[in-house]
Structure formats: structure tokens, C-alpha cells
């Protein structure tokens, strides 16, 4: 069950080969590192309104000199493949052992944890995969301090923070004039907005699937419907608790978040609600596609049965006539035993009557529209 919860969509996500979870009786704060996880890459961005430092560092201790200054420091750790780096990270930022456990534990539900001097935000980030119209998904952990924001990502390959980095590097907007709480809001807003490109891909897939269901439904169509249903369920599991977490952050507040930033968080919450509404709408559309698929398959079967019935109806009287004259009773024994067998034009006359009956039935079925509909349906099948 844990395997299913953590990676419902292995076909759409780049996931680890092994699944890790705590055995019963494991002490709290235990860190279990996936041996197949990516080795950490650490980036430091320290900025204020006038100055900017953007560099890659090897160890978390290298950012100690920046954490207590009034400039804002963003430490971005990409990869969870080193237990040593994680322990150093905990010592450098004075993280509670339970925070480190939540960061490493990839089955965490999106949530907000307030540790007085630190605010921990566990979120799920999705990035579109244009190759197959699906998405990559990973857990992102944000730790907000007074003058810093620590982000820890599963993998270094995909994230949606490029827009935030660009605004910092080029000093666009107000981000360089704000504190660490505004940076945390910007990152969280980027995570929520990252759902919209993914939903655009699913909108296109659903449109194509609607046409396929109506024109040419098949077993592959049914598989596509189930695949999209599973993927939309994955999106719903990601966005639903994040919406609730943002709402609780707005409602309960925190000493680390100013009133001005709480106003921005309301906009972030509105985006989360909008994403949730779109996901629910798409799920209803896909559920409707299942009903349309079943109706289309039923209609296809009815048309096939209609065509077979028309063909059978044409040959039934012909088979009857051929069967009657195939009995070959001896006409010498009785004058009532098929006198037509001795007629000079008996055979051509019998064939003519059979052809006349067949043409009459075909004309009758055509006038009723049965034959035309069946022929057109067969053309649609082989289109």
C-alpha cells in the first residue's frame, strides 16, 4: 500500500527503484537514505537590494557566514543521496531530527509545521513531461528561518524555480527588497503555478481522447482512460493537502511571516483552489468518457448485429427455396413431386425468383435506412 501511495504513476514519474519506509519500532528522527538517490548538489543565493552572491558550494557549512546577516540566503539542496550531507545540513541549520526525517521520507503528505524559529513546509512539485503529455513529481521541503530559506529537492533534474532565480538574478519585481518570508512565498507560489502547464497537457489529451472515443473506440482507448484517471488522482493527492496547508498558514499565521506576505499567500491559496477545481473537472470529464466509451461499444455491437441480421434476412428465403428444390423427389412416382424439375426454363426461373426476392429485400432495407447506416458504420470502423 505504501508503494502505491508513494508512486502511483511510475510510468509518468522518474522514481526510485526501491521504496523506503520505517519499520515498526524505529526511533523517531531516523534517516533512511535511498541508495539509488541522486548525490546532493548545493546552491547558495545570498542577496539584498543591492548585492547578490550566486554560487555552488560543496558542504552546508560554507553558508554559515551568510545565515545570520540581514541579507536573505537561499540554500537549495538538490538530491538526497548522502546521509553525511543531510546530517551536516541538520547541524548547520539546527534542524530538529523530525524535520530531517520529514525531508527524507518521500511519502510525506504536504503539510506545515511550526518550530517557533523555523517554519517547515512540505510540498509536492510537478513539472510537465511533454514527451508523453504527463508529468514528473517530487517532494520539496522548505525550511523558513528569519534570514534564510532552505529548500531540499529529491532530484536535480526538474524543478519550477527558474522564474524565481531569474527575478533574483536580474532584480526584477520586489523580491530583492523583501525578506525571507517573501522568498518562501515566491517558491511556494511557483510550486502551485507549476500545476497549470501540466493541466494544459491533460486538457489536450482529454480533447483527443473524446474524439477517439466517439470515432473509433478500442481496447487501447479504455487503457488511455484508466491511465489518465490514475494520473489525475495523483495530481489530486498532491494539490488537495497543499491547498489545506496554505489555508492553515493564512489562518493561523506565524511570527516568521509578515502581514504583507500573508496577503500574497491568499493569492497563492486562490491559485491552489483553481488548480483543485480544474483537476476535479477533468476527473468528471474522464468519468464521462468512460460512459461514452461503453455507449460507443454498445452502439458498435448493435450496428454489427444489425448488419448481420440484414445479411441473414436476405439469405433466409433464398436458402428456403434452395432447400426445397434440393430434395429432388422423383416426379415419376407422383405428378405432385416437384413438377418444376421437368420444366425447360425451371432452373433459370428459380434463379430469377431468388434474385428478385434478394433485390426486393435489399430495396426494402435501403428504404428503411438500415442498410445505409450499416454500410457507413463499417466504413467508419475501417477508416
Amino acid at each position: 500500500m505504501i508503494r502505491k501511495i508513494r508512486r502511483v504513476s511510475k510510468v509518468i514519474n522518474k522514481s526510485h527503484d526501491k521504496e523506503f519506509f520505517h519499520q515498526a519500532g524505529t526511533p523517531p528522527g531516523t534517516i533512511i537514505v535511498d541508495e539509488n538517490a541522486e548525490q546532493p548538489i548545493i546552491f547558495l543565493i545570498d542577496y539584498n537590494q543591492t548585492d547578490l552572491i550566486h554560487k555552488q558550494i560543496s558542504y552546508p557549512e560554507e553558508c554559515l557566514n551568510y545565515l545570520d546577516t540581514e541579507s536573505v540566503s537561499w540554500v537549495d539542496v538538490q538530491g538526497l543521496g548522502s546521509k553525511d550531507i543531510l546530517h551536516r545540513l541538520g547541524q548547520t541549520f539546527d534542524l530538529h531530527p523530525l524535520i530531517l526525517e520529514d525531508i527524507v521520507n518521500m511519502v510525506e503528505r504536504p503539510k506545515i509545521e511550526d518550530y517557533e524559529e523555523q517554519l517547515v513546509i512540505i510540498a509536492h512539485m510537478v513539472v510537465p513531461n511533454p514527451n508523453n503529455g504527463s508529468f514528473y513529481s517530487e517532494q520539496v521541503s522548505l525550511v523558513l528561518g528569519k534570514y534564510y530559506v532552505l529548500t531540499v529537492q529529491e532530484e536535480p533534474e526538474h524543478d519550477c524555480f527558474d522564474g524565481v532565480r531569474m527575478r533574483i538574478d536580474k532584480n526584477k519585481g520586489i523580491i530583492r527588497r523583501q525578506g525571507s518570508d517573501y522568498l518562501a512565498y515566491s517558491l511556494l507560489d511557483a510550486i502551485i503555478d507549476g500545476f497549470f502547464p501540466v493541466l494544459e497537457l491533460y486538457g489536450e489529451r482529454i480533447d483527443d481522447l473524446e474524439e477517439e472515443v466517439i470515432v473509433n473506440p478500442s481496447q487501447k482507448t479504455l487503457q488511455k482512460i484508466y491511465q489518465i484517471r490514475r494520473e489525475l488522482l495523483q495530481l489530486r493527492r498532491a494539490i488537495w493537502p497543499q491547498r489545506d496547508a496554505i489555508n492553515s498558514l493564512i489562518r493561523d499565521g506565524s511570527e516568521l511571516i509578515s502581514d504583507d506576505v500573508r496577503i500574497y499567500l491568499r493569492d497563492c491559496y486562490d491559485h491552489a483552489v483553481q488548480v483543485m477545481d480544474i483537476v476535479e473537472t477533468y476527473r468528471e470529464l474522464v468519468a464521462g468518457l468512460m460512459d461514452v466509451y461503453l455507449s460507443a461499444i454498445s452502439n458498435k455491437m448493435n450496428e454489427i448485429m444489425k448488419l448481420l441480421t440484414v445479411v441473414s434476412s436476405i439469405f433466409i428465403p433464398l436458402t428456403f427455396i434452395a432447400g426445397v428444390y434440393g430434395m429432388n423427389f422423383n416426379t415419376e412416382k407422383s405428378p405432385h413431386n416437384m413438377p418444376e424439375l421437368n420444366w425447360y426454363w425451371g432452373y433459370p426461373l428459380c434463379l430469377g425468383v431468388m434474385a428478385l426476392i434478394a433485390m426486393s429485400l435489399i430495396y426494402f432495407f435501403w428504404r428503411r435506412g438500415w442498410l445505409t447506416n450499416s454500410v457507413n458504420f463499417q466504413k467508419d470502423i475501417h477508416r
Side-chain angles (χ1 to χ4, degrees):
M1 185 63 182
I2 293 178
R3 179 186 298 271
K4 186 175 181 181
I5 292 176
R6 178 165 181 252
R7 283 291 185 265
V8 175
S9 53
K10 277 202 172 185
V11 295
I12 60 177
N13 300 334
K14 181 177 179 181
S15 59
H16 304 300
D17 296 330
K18 275 188 178 181
E19 309 296 335
F20 287 84
F21 56 92
H22 291 172
Q23 300 291 341
T26 302
T30 302
I31 298 177
I32 302 177
V33 175
D34 188 345
E35 61 184 12
N36 296 318
E38 299 285 346
Q39 289 299 310
I41 303 174
I42 307 175
F43 296 94
L44 169 66
I45 300 178
D46 186 86
Y47 64 87
N48 55 32
Q49 190 170 351
T50 57
D51 300 320
L52 171 67
I53 298 175
H54 191 169
K55 63 180 180 178
Q56 181 176 344
I57 59 178
S58 301
Y59 300 102
E61 293 85 355
E62 297 180 36
C63 65
L64 275 173
N65 295 332
Y66 301 94
L67 298 183
D68 293 331
T69 62
E70 293 186 0
S71 60
V72 177
S73 301
W74 175 17
V75 180
D76 186 21
V77 181
Q78 302 177 7
L80 297 171
S82 173
K83 184 179 291 186
D84 177 62
I85 293 294
L86 291 172
H87 281 298
R88 289 186 173 192
L89 201 65
Q91 295 173 359
T92 301
F93 288 88
D94 194 22
L95 300 178
H96 193 282
L98 292 180
I99 297 179
L100 281 178
E101 181 181 359
D102 289 342
I103 289 174
V104 179
N105 186 11
M106 292 296 101
V107 298
E108 279 298 322
R109 190 173 187 267
K111 62 180 182 178
I112 304 289
E113 293 285 349
D114 195 343
Y115 287 85
E116 294 184 359
E117 295 184 356
Q118 292 176 329
L119 187 66
V120 180
I121 304 173
I122 305 295
H124 285 177
M125 176 173 59
V126 297
V127 179
N129 180 5
N131 295 327
N132 57 7
S134 59
F135 62 93
Y136 301 100
S137 175
E138 65 174 283
Q139 178 174 302
V140 180
S141 303
L142 290 82
V143 180
L144 170 63
K146 187 175 182 181
Y147 298 116
Y148 65 85
V149 174
L150 168 66
T151 58
V152 183
Q153 307 180 42
E154 283 187 63
E155 301 167 352
E157 296 182 6
H158 311 283
D159 72 16
C160 55
F161 297 147
D162 288 340
V164 180
R165 297 187 184 99
M166 184 271 294
R167 286 157 53 196
I168 294 175
D169 291 341
K170 297 184 178 181
N171 198 6
K172 289 189 174 182
I174 63 173
I175 190 169
R176 293 269 292 269
R177 301 194 298 271
Q178 300 293 324
S180 59
D181 55 349
Y182 187 86
L183 173 60
Y185 149 74
S186 300
L187 297 174
L188 189 59
D189 186 62
I191 292 174
I192 299 300
D193 289 345
F195 281 82
F196 288 104
V198 173
L199 292 175
E200 289 181 3
L201 293 178
Y202 278 92
E204 295 174 359
R205 290 177 63 185
I206 292 174
D207 289 341
D208 295 338
L209 196 57
E210 284 179 344
E211 183 177 356
E212 182 177 341
V213 167
I214 296 174
V215 175
N216 187 22
S218 62
Q219 189 67 27
K220 290 184 178 180
T221 306
L222 183 62
Q223 295 175 0
K224 292 178 182 178
I225 293 175
Y226 277 115
Q227 180 68 24
I228 291 182
R229 285 183 63 183
R230 288 194 298 268
E231 295 172 9
L232 288 176
L233 180 60
Q234 178 81 353
L235 285 174
R236 184 178 185 272
R237 287 175 174 173
I239 190 59
W240 187 292
Q242 287 183 182
R243 181 198 63 173
D244 295 341
I246 297 173
N247 186 36
S248 66
L249 187 59
I250 297 172
R251 182 182 63 250
D252 301 334
S254 171
E255 294 181 356
L256 296 173
I257 297 180
S258 64
D259 292 337
D260 293 337
V261 173
R262 288 179 65 183
I263 296 176
Y264 287 106
L265 284 173
R266 294 176 189 173
D267 180 68
C268 186
Y269 174 77
D270 291 340
H271 291 176
V273 172
Q274 185 177 357
V275 170
M276 192 67 215
D277 290 341
I278 296 175
V279 171
E280 291 296 331
T281 300
Y282 283 171
R283 293 185 69 210
E284 292 178 2
L285 288 175
V286 173
L289 285 180
M290 179 63 69
D291 296 335
V292 174
Y293 170 81
L294 296 176
S295 299
I297 293 298
S298 178
N299 291 336
K300 179 188 289 187
M301 183 61 66
N302 291 338
E303 292 293 337
I304 292 174
M305 294 303 299
K306 183 189 294 184
L307 180 61
L308 295 177
T309 302
V310 168
V311 174
S312 300
S313 300
I314 293 174
F315 281 93
I316 285 175
L318 308 185
T319 304
F320 172 76
I321 295 175
V324 169
Y325 286 98
M327 291 186 291
N328 295 325
F329 286 103
N330 190 356
T331 57
E332 296 179 357
K333 297 296 183 179
S334 171
H336 303 292
N337 289 346
M338 295 186 178
E340 299 88 359
L341 295 178
N342 295 321
W343 292 358
Y344 183 81
W345 298 101
Y347 182 64
L349 181 62
C350 183
L351 291 179
V353 172
M354 293 172 68
L356 179 62
I357 294 174
M359 295 301 295
S360 299
L361 289 174
I362 291 175
Y363 176 76
F364 173 75
F365 293 144
W366 175 76
R367 291 289 296 178
R368 297 295 298 267
W370 298 348
L371 189 61
T372 303
N373 293 340
S374 299
V375 171
N376 291 337
F377 180 75
Q378 290 298 318
K379 290 182 180 179
D380 291 337
I381 292 178
H382 296 93
R383 182 177 297 173

